[in-house]
Amino acid sequence: MIDKYGRTIDYLRISLTDRCNLRCVYCMPEEGIRQIPHTEILTYDEIMRICRCMADLGIRKIKLTGGEPLVRKDCAQLTAILKALPGIEKVTLTTNGILLREQLEALMEAGIDAVNISLDTLDPNLFQQITRRDCLDQVLDGLKAALSYPQLSVKLNCVPVIKQKENFVAMAGLAKQYPLHVRFIEMMPIGYGKQFPFQDEESIKGVLKDAYGPLIPVTERFGNGPCHYYTIEGFQGKIGFISAVTHKFCKQCNRVRLTAEGFLKGCLQFQKGTDLRKLLRGGCTDEELTEAIRQVIWNKPVSHNFYETETTQDETRVMSQIGG
């Protein structure tokens, strides 16, 4: 699938649910959000049909997200179904890690290729302040379980909402202690994230250089997305940065997003897209579904313009409703 700007689109992020067992301050309010009724969320059969059509068009990699994807029943079963689709090369998961340990064996049997665990701090008190939950131990148990499978690619996603230098050093230190990649992700100005200034990449790299020595750029790719990586002497894993605002990577964007309600989006910032659920439940043919998908790909916006200008087309939903 090629869009009108010549970009190859081969990566689909699927939100399985808007529900989450955390209440991170930059994602949703303490009382949570209005949850989408189960009847309005795509069924696994509907997801499979969409993915089958998208695989025929050239989608090769799928990321399962949420909300928290593991709160939806039978996530491993869906993983196995998607892995079996002709053309699909990788199925990966982004999770907060709380339920990972108990579900990991089933996910491995289903063929999951990689797990990204969202974790912003190793300090129990700060963790509770950010997530409004006291469950850091469960997350760390999930991380240890994931690391027990040498064939599984493990990454940590850290949104630097905590500005203390010590927190950056501690999080990066996990890549020294374990064979995993730690990625620092700039705060996205979507939903509640607009209330938090992002921490720029260069300042974090300066802190890590002072603590661990030079960061050496690497050109090797370690996944489906836009992260760029550095190696540090003595580290088992890499340090990565996903800096959508300060290091805009729209020219290389290869993804589209499917919300839990079945809305296919070409860009995170904008509302523009197509309601695939409406088509599915209206009795569309595979040809009609495929053409609708093709049109979203072709009309994918050339780039986001966060902090540049606001438009009436800007997304109004929060990240848990879009798919993180």
Side-chain angles (χ1 to χ4, degrees):
M1 290 192 288
I2 307 294
D3 71 7
K4 67 172 65 175
Y5 302 104
R7 295 171 295 195
T8 298
I9 310 302
D10 61 0
Y11 177 29
L12 171 65
R13 295 176 68 94
I14 303 174
S15 174
L16 299 186
T17 178
D18 64 328
R19 289 162 168 76
C20 188
N21 43 11
L22 295 181
R23 294 291 181 270
C24 295
V25 294
Y26 51 79
C27 190
M28 65 175 69
E30 187 168 6
E31 68 274 13
I33 59 173
R34 185 193 72 84
Q35 295 180 337
I36 303 169
H38 287 291
T39 55
E40 296 180 14
I41 290 178
L42 290 179
T43 67
Y44 283 174
D45 284 343
E46 289 170 333
I47 291 174
M48 181 185 68
R49 186 179 172 194
I50 291 170
C51 290
R52 187 177 68 242
C53 290
M54 295 189 82
D56 289 343
L57 286 171
I59 287 291
R60 296 292 174 257
K61 295 159 284 190
I62 294 174
K63 171 80 72 180
L64 302 179
T65 73
E68 168 50 43
L70 296 183
V71 303
R72 184 163 178 181
K73 187 178 179 181
D74 296 328
C75 183
Q77 178 181 332
L78 176 64
T79 299
I81 292 170
L82 297 178
K83 284 282 291 186
L85 289 176
I88 298 302
E89 298 170 359
K90 288 187 177 181
V91 178
T92 62
L93 175 78
T94 291
T95 172
N96 60 33
I98 294 173
L99 300 175
L100 183 58
R101 185 180 186 90
E102 64 188 66
Q103 297 190 35
L104 187 56
E105 183 177 356
L107 287 165
M108 294 301 298
E109 290 175 357
I112 199 77
D113 293 289
V115 171
N116 292 3
I117 300 173
S118 299
L119 180 62
D120 299 334
T121 183
L122 297 175
D123 183 293
N125 292 326
L126 291 175
F127 182 91
Q128 189 165 2
Q129 290 177 30
I130 296 171
T131 67
R132 302 188 178 103
R133 297 291 185 270
D134 182 15
C135 47
L136 177 60
D137 287 344
Q138 291 97 304
V139 178
L140 296 179
D141 285 345
L143 172 61
K144 292 175 183 176
L147 290 169
S148 71
Y149 291 91
Q151 71 274 33
L152 183 65
S153 173
V154 181
K155 301 171 185 173
L156 286 185
N157 292 342
C158 175
V159 177
V161 65
I162 300 170
K163 309 302 182 184
Q164 289 94 327
K165 294 180 179 181
E166 295 79 8
N167 196 65
F168 301 146
V169 172
M171 292 303 300
L174 291 172
K176 182 177 184 178
Q177 186 177 1
Y178 302 108
L180 55 81
H181 303 324
V182 175
R183 295 113 57 84
F184 293 94
I185 303 176
E186 279 184 351
M187 182 74 70
M188 299 295 288
I190 294 285
Y192 293 93
K194 293 179 180 179
Q195 303 172 25
F196 297 87
F198 62 81
Q199 184 77 31
D200 70 281
E201 175 181 327
E202 297 306 317
S203 64
I204 298 176
K205 287 195 293 189
V207 170
L208 300 185
K209 179 181 178 181
D210 290 342
Y212 295 116
L215 279 69
I216 304 168
V218 296
T219 57
E220 186 178 354
R221 294 287 298 275
F222 295 99
N224 307 324
C227 189
H228 55 279
Y229 288 92
Y230 297 83
T231 185
I232 299 177
E233 185 176 357
F235 275 48
Q236 298 184 63
K238 304 292 188 294
I239 301 299
F241 294 88
I242 301 177
S243 306
V245 178
T246 60
H247 293 67
K248 202 169 181 177
F249 44 75
C250 298
K251 289 182 179 179
Q252 292 79 42
C253 187
N254 63 341
R255 70 188 59 188
V256 288
R257 296 169 181 266
L258 183 66
T259 72
E261 296 172 283
F263 192 81
L264 186 64
K265 289 169 55 68
C267 177
L268 179 63
Q269 181 179 4
F270 303 109
Q271 297 180 36
K272 189 175 181 181
T274 294
D275 187 348
L276 299 185
R277 185 191 67 193
K278 183 177 180 179
L279 289 174
L280 288 167
R281 298 184 184 180
C284 72
T285 64
D286 279 359
E287 290 73 19
E288 291 169 332
L289 180 61
T290 299
E291 181 57 28
I293 294 168
R294 194 191 308 272
Q295 288 301 314
V296 173
I297 299 300
W298 179 251
N299 292 303
K300 179 177 169 66
V302 63
S303 71
H304 69 71
N305 55 15
F306 291 128
Y307 298 119
E308 296 171 22
T309 181
E310 287 192 17
T311 75
T312 57
Q313 296 300 313
D314 282 1
E315 181 60 78
T316 58
R317 291 173 291 187
V318 300
M319 282 298 292
S320 62
Q321 295 171 314
I322 300 169

